[in-house]
Amino acid sequence: MTARPVPPPITAPAGGAWTFDPAALAAAITERRRELKISRREVVRQAGAGTPSTLTRLDEGRHISVDVFLRLLLWLGCTDVRPFLATIPASAEEATGA
C-alpha cells in the first residue's frame, strides 16, 4: 500500500479561527456527483454517509457529524480538509464566545 502525501499542518489564521464551510463541501460533492452521473442517494450509499438528507443539510449550510464529514471526504478522494474550512475573524470569534 502506497502512503498518501501528508498535507502540511493547519495553523489558525492570525487573529482568527477556523470553522467548517458546509457550502464548500456541498459544491465539491455536487461537482463530483455530476462528473460520475450518479444520484444523491448513490453518493451517500457509496460513502456510507446515511441518507440523502445529509446532502440537503450541507446544501442548507448546516453542519454534519465528523464521522459523516470524513466519509464524504474519503468518497471525494480528498486528503486535505483546508478547502472545506473558512476563517472566522477575531471580532466574530469574540462575539460568539468561540
Side-chain angles (χ1 to χ4, degrees):
M1 182 177 191
T2 306
R4 290 186 178 181
V6 177
I10 300 173
T11 55
W18 293 109
T19 188
F20 170 56
D21 183 359
L25 182 58
I29 290 167
T30 298
E31 181 179 336
R32 181 72 178 135
R33 182 178 69 78
R34 288 182 177 154
E35 288 171 4
L36 297 173
K37 297 180 175 138
I38 61 175
S39 67
R40 295 164 63 91
R41 183 174 305 281
E42 183 61 16
V43 169
V44 293
R45 189 196 67 73
Q46 289 180 8
T51 66
S53 67
T54 298
L55 302 183
T56 301
R57 284 194 300 278
L58 287 174
D59 291 340
E60 293 172 348
R62 295 168 40 206
H63 288 208
I64 55 175
S65 72
V66 172
D67 177 59
V68 170
F69 174 68
L70 293 173
R71 288 172 186 266
L72 290 168
L73 285 183
L74 289 171
W75 179 81
L76 286 168
C78 185
T79 59
D80 189 357
V81 299
R82 282 177 280 209
F84 311 111
L85 298 178
T87 57
I88 302 174
S91 58
E93 189 178 337
E94 292 166 4
T96 61

